[in-house]
Amino acid sequence: LPAHANQVREQPIRERYCHRDNQSQAGTAMTTNHRRVFPWIQPINDPQCRFTEETKAPENALLVRGLDRFYRRIQPVHTLLPAASLERIAMEIVTNTIRCRIQYFTDTLNTHYLETVNDVKQTLLVSRPPQFEGQESLQDIMSTMKASLVGKLKLVLVNVKEFINTDITFSTKPYFRGPFCLHDVKQGLVMRYLEHILSSVAELSDSVPPNLLLVMARLCLDMETSTISYLSTLTEEMFPPDRSAVPEELTPTVPQLTALAHDTVQQSLTRFVQVKGLSISQMIHTSVKTRDWLGALEPRNVRAAMKRVVEEVTDLDTQIGTLFEEGTVRTANSDSSARRPHSVAGSRINSSSKYKYNHSDAESSLLNKLFNDKVEIFGVIQFTKLSILTGVIKIGLKAFLESVRLRTFGKFGLQQVQVDVYYLREYLWRFVEEERLLYFLLEEVVNSAVDRCIDPVMMEPSVVMLLCEPT
């Protein structure tokens, strides 16, 4: 070795590297070989990294303190060797660790959402989890579910906020006032989580309980009207952002999520109406298909299938009424509570002339069809109880009409249809938002039965009313 080697080796480290020329050389060597100098500084994506293990731990405070202590201890070395860029390396480790932690919280929220939905399914199938014990109405179930989801998100935000507490050294860095608050927390955690909920509701299969579609539709409606904007405002209050640090607009925005929530409610209610309408349609179709209408006896009462239809609609009215508002009734009478079923002009249900069908009735019916507006069976469902029930009833009555068109009736078979239709008209009018549609569809059922009857003789209206009176 050179003669001066021992003298250099005996020099204090600070004295050797504080000289500017030597400092630059040392910084370059340190940057290139920082793993050899500090083997405990490893990339966050390295499986052996200690911080990688901690990002999946349930305790968040310990991770925050560890990152803060790590960053503090890097500062003296950075002061000694600023050219080594150890502070930048340490900051990358901190930010990457926090992003991994936020991803862990996101996965935790998604798992909690799936568990909550499964609990609601069990509740609707009568096997009630502990958190849903004693809750009977769908409104109670929905409120508990919403409180659980929002409460879990708030708890996660409280944990994430520990990273920007005033006593944390790295919390004053520009990253934690700009990208962290806006990109990582608000967009990456909160908004993406809300988007995940809406997307999951939209992807629910038809095999789920129909009432679950109702509950999720109401949840999404609340998200549209208040929850999304509330959580967005709460996040900005807890994590005040420096928007100048993130100039571009991040997606999804509150208006975009609100629009997605509206579409999801529409989709869920449409599927609910289709599922329940199909259920009632199958009931009606089976009852028409399995009966001998040519050899039927004189009617003595309303068929059991029609009573079951009314019971089903009544149950739906109770369930839907706990979640959605009544809605507006489109009727000529301003007092909707005073409505009463009335006879439609040209109706064959209460026709006179000894209740015998003739060609003038057919001509009158055709003229009525010509000038009546077309009834849209699968129309747009409004977010009200009457609109939902109207959609279900229209699908059921359309199935009734199509089933009647496929059968041939005798005299008493026609009269039985007349009795059934009158019964449905007496009890279903209160569940529709427009009586005209109900009367039109029921009229079409009777008209089709008359057209398919070999001896079209109608029953006396007073007898029909007597048979339809509750026993």
Side-chain angles (χ1 to χ4, degrees):
L1 293 175
H4 65 279
N6 292 331
Q7 299 176 1
V8 173
R9 189 176 299 174
E10 292 173 359
Q11 274 185 301
I13 294 178
R14 184 175 182 84
E15 182 179 340
R16 277 191 287 163
Y17 289 117
C18 279
H19 192 276
R20 289 186 177 181
D21 296 337
N22 294 336
Q23 190 181 64
S24 177
Q25 296 175 7
T28 303
M30 192 75 73
T31 304
T32 307
N33 303 301
H34 67 271
R35 286 193 185 183
R36 294 175 56 189
V37 179
F38 298 105
W40 37 270
I41 299 182
Q42 295 168 313
I44 190 62
N45 56 3
D46 190 332
Q48 303 300 322
C49 183
R50 184 71 175 86
F51 290 124
T52 302
E53 300 176 9
E54 291 297 333
T55 56
K56 298 180 181 180
E59 178 59 40
N60 192 63
L62 182 62
L63 176 62
V64 175
R65 291 197 300 270
L67 286 174
D68 182 53
R69 182 173 297 179
F70 163 73
Y71 188 78
R72 286 175 185 269
R73 291 186 175 181
I74 288 293
Q75 298 308 304
V77 184
H78 173 69
T79 303
L80 177 65
L81 302 170
S85 302
L86 287 180
E87 184 181 26
R88 177 185 58 81
I89 297 172
M91 196 62 199
E92 288 179 359
I93 293 177
V94 170
T95 56
N96 289 334
T97 302
I98 292 175
R99 283 172 179 154
C100 290
R101 186 62 173 170
I102 290 178
Q103 183 59 48
Y104 166 79
F105 282 132
T106 301
D107 296 339
T108 301
L109 288 172
N110 293 341
T111 301
H112 175 72
Y113 166 74
L114 292 178
E115 292 174 350
T116 305
V117 172
N118 289 332
D119 288 344
V120 173
K121 288 181 182 179
Q122 294 181 21
T123 303
L124 297 175
L125 296 175
V126 183
S127 176
R128 298 179 180 272
Q131 61 175 331
F132 291 100
E133 281 293 339
Q135 298 180 3
E136 300 296 334
S137 70
L138 296 182
Q139 176 63 39
D140 293 339
I141 294 174
M142 192 283 299
S143 299
T144 302
M145 179 183 185
K146 177 182 173 182
S148 176
L149 296 177
V150 174
K152 183 68 174 179
L153 179 57
K154 287 182 176 180
L155 181 62
V156 166
L157 290 178
V158 170
N159 285 328
V160 174
K161 188 173 175 60
E162 294 179 357
F163 289 111
I164 60 172
N165 285 341
T166 55
D167 59 337
I168 303 300
T169 308
F170 52 75
S171 64
T172 57
K173 295 297 179 180
Y175 163 76
F176 288 94
R177 294 305 172 191
F180 174 75
C181 294
L182 282 175
H183 185 274
D184 294 346
V185 178
K186 183 179 179 181
Q187 300 300 136
L189 181 65
V190 178
M191 306 301 276
R192 292 296 179 188
Y193 173 59
L194 297 177
E195 185 180 36
H196 171 75
I197 293 178
L198 297 174
S199 301
S200 300
V201 174
E203 294 172 1
L204 287 176
S205 64
D206 294 335
S207 61
V208 301
N211 286 346
L212 179 62
L213 294 173
L214 270 185
V215 172
M216 301 309 291
R218 181 67 230 193
L219 174 67
C220 294
L221 183 59
D222 284 356
M223 291 176 65
E224 176 194 359
T225 56
S226 61
T227 307
I228 293 176
S229 58
Y230 164 71
L231 290 176
S232 176
T233 304
L234 175 66
T235 305
E236 291 191 356
E237 290 176 353
M238 295 180 65
F239 301 86
D242 180 9
R243 296 189 179 276
S244 61
V246 186
E248 71 276 6
E249 184 178 11
L250 301 176
T251 58
T253 62
V254 171
Q256 289 174 342
L257 278 185
T258 302
L260 178 60
H262 182 88
D263 294 340
T264 305
V265 177
Q266 187 74 68
Q267 180 179 344
S268 299
L269 291 181
T270 300
R271 291 173 61 193
F272 174 81
V273 168
Q274 292 174 351
V275 170
K276 299 305 293 186
L278 178 61
S279 175
I280 292 178
S281 298
Q282 290 175 339
M283 186 191 314
I284 294 176
H285 178 71
T286 302
S287 70
V288 174
K289 182 180 179 181
T290 57
R291 189 177 182 89
D292 180 13
W293 296 98
L294 274 174
L297 301 176
E298 184 177 1
R300 289 288 181 265
N301 49 39
V302 181
R303 289 188 301 134
M306 299 297 105
K307 294 181 179 180
R308 181 59 183 159
V309 168
V310 173
E311 292 174 0
E312 283 282 332
V313 175
T314 304
D315 290 342
L316 287 178
D317 176 73
T318 303
Q319 295 170 3
I320 299 172
T322 62
L323 293 173
F324 295 91
E325 297 178 356
E326 181 78 12
T328 304
V329 179
R330 295 195 293 267
T331 178
N333 191 341
S334 59
D335 186 5
S336 60
S337 63
R339 291 185 300 154
R340 292 292 181 271
H342 59 275
S343 179
V344 182
S347 172
R348 300 182 189 177
I349 301 176
N350 293 331
S351 58
S352 56
S353 302
K354 296 190 181 296
Y355 320 109
K356 181 69 176 180
Y357 169 71
N358 52 56
H359 292 288
S360 63
D361 292 330
E363 294 173 358
S364 175
S365 176
L366 291 174
L367 287 174
N368 286 335
K369 287 184 181 180
L370 181 63
F371 291 103
N372 276 333
D373 295 334
K374 182 180 178 180
V375 177
E376 187 177 5
I377 302 300
F378 299 96
V380 177
I381 305 299
Q382 304 299 324
F383 305 161
T384 62
K385 182 184 74 171
L386 287 179
S387 180
I388 299 171
L389 289 174
T390 300
V392 174
I393 292 173
K394 284 194 298 183
I395 294 176
L397 293 184
K398 182 63 175 178
F400 193 7
L401 173 59
E402 297 301 327
S403 299
V404 166
R405 288 174 175 172
L406 298 176
R407 310 298 294 175
T408 303
F409 296 85
K411 171 185 175 181
F412 294 135
L414 171 61
Q415 293 179 358
Q416 182 65 64
V417 172
Q418 183 185 1
V419 172
D420 292 344
V421 166
Y422 184 85
Y423 179 82
L424 292 178
R425 191 183 71 170
E426 286 290 305
Y427 286 93
L428 294 183
W429 63 268
R430 59 179 60 86
F431 302 122
V432 295
E433 57 182 356
E434 189 169 2
E435 296 176 29
R436 180 186 63 85
L437 298 178
L438 174 67
Y439 298 149
F440 176 80
L441 290 172
L442 292 175
E443 179 74 11
E444 284 297 295
V445 172
V446 176
N447 290 344
S448 297
V450 169
D451 294 338
R452 299 287 298 171
C453 182
I454 59 176
D455 184 19
V457 178
M458 307 296 285
M459 180 178 283
E460 184 179 351
S462 59
V463 178
V464 174
M465 295 175 61
L466 184 62
L467 294 177
C468 293
E469 289 182 355
T471 57

